[in-house]
Amino acid sequence: MAALLAFFWLGPLASVQARWIATFPTLFFGTLLLAVWLVLFSGLPSRTRLRLFVGLAAATATVCVLLEIRGVDGNLRPIVGFRCSAERAFETARGAAAPVAAPGPNDYPQFYGPNRDATLPGPRLARDWALDPPREVWRRPVGAGWSAFAVVGDAAVTQEQRGDDEVVVRYQLSTGEPLWVHADRAPFDTTVGGSGPRATPTIVDGRVYTLGATGILNALDLASGSRVWTRDVLKDHDAGQPDWGMASSPLVIGELVVRYELSTGQPVWLHADRAPFDTTVGGSGPRATPTVVDGRVYTLGATGILNALDLASGRRIWTRDVLG
């Protein structure tokens, strides 16, 4: 076991993730075989072997009862916690409709910013953070998840997992105070992928559009958090739940949140490619968020299929296999 671990960590494996993947079964089966040898084949006195067996069984049971693996970090190292730890408490939202300040030049209303190109013209930042460091204005506890913030005026909206509820929360940008919380009973949790929603909200014309990890597409009123409409995109298209969760941030162009009508949430069109993708670590399903340029929707699937589709009809204009 020691030789294998030395090979994994000092040998040709290039990534830390691959080393941890190889380490888990080595430690588990190596420790199990060592315990079997001690108890059955070590030649120790029978009373000693009995004590070893009882001690190992008690230690294993104690660890299983007290501890749990809550996921992994970016390097696939396990995150271990106590099973009996108290559930995280969150502040109660005000629950009343709150007007939104007028949009400004520093708004960040969707994934990757105003133009989905990961740029923002302002605000201007200090160049020397040793001389003029940023200071913390406020801090609030949030639920699990991978969603970024969409910001318009003084409204900052994100998605979180709070227990079995997948929630959309609007915070006051100046104070961090939660103003409203919209919740759907939609738990999502995997050991490798972690828990919570993946996509970033999109804010357009006083509405918030969100896509949850289990495929719930919501249109919410930005002022009050009330539901305008909702769709289950996996059910709409007779698709299975991706192991890694739905991660595409809603794209709004004109009267469409691709591919649904903004006003009603009704599906407009569907484009499909025969391109299954599934890995033990990476999970299944596409990862990329679509973008629109000059009336065309560009999508990139997990298997490398790049499509240009007509925004109005969904008709394929051209396709390329960028990996082939």
Side-chain angles (χ1 to χ4, degrees), residues 6 30 34-35 89 123 142 162 172 224 227 253 291:
L34 179 60
V142 298
R162 299 184 176 184
Q172 191 81 9
S224 64
R227 190 200 311 267
I253 297 293
T291 190

Side-chain angles (χ1 to χ4, degrees), residues 163-243:
D164 288 337
D165 288 339
E166 186 176 70
V167 303
V168 184
V169 188
R170 175 187 163 184
Y171 293 93
Q172 191 81 9
L173 188 61
S174 57
T175 64
E177 178 188 2
L179 300 182
W180 54 253
V181 176
H182 169 85
D184 291 300
R185 182 66 63 169
F188 183 85
D189 183 53
T190 63
T191 300
V192 175
S195 61
R198 274 88 172 111
T200 298
T202 298
I203 302 175
V204 176
D205 295 334
R207 286 187 181 179
V208 181
Y209 300 91
T210 63
L211 179 65
T214 62
I216 297 176
L217 178 65
N218 279 320
L220 309 174
D221 180 72
L222 178 58
S224 64
S226 60
R227 190 200 311 267
V228 180
W229 52 257
T230 188
R231 302 292 306 192
D232 186 331
V233 300
L234 296 180
K235 185 178 295 184
D236 283 344
H237 304 305
D238 195 24
Q241 171 69 61
D243 297 337

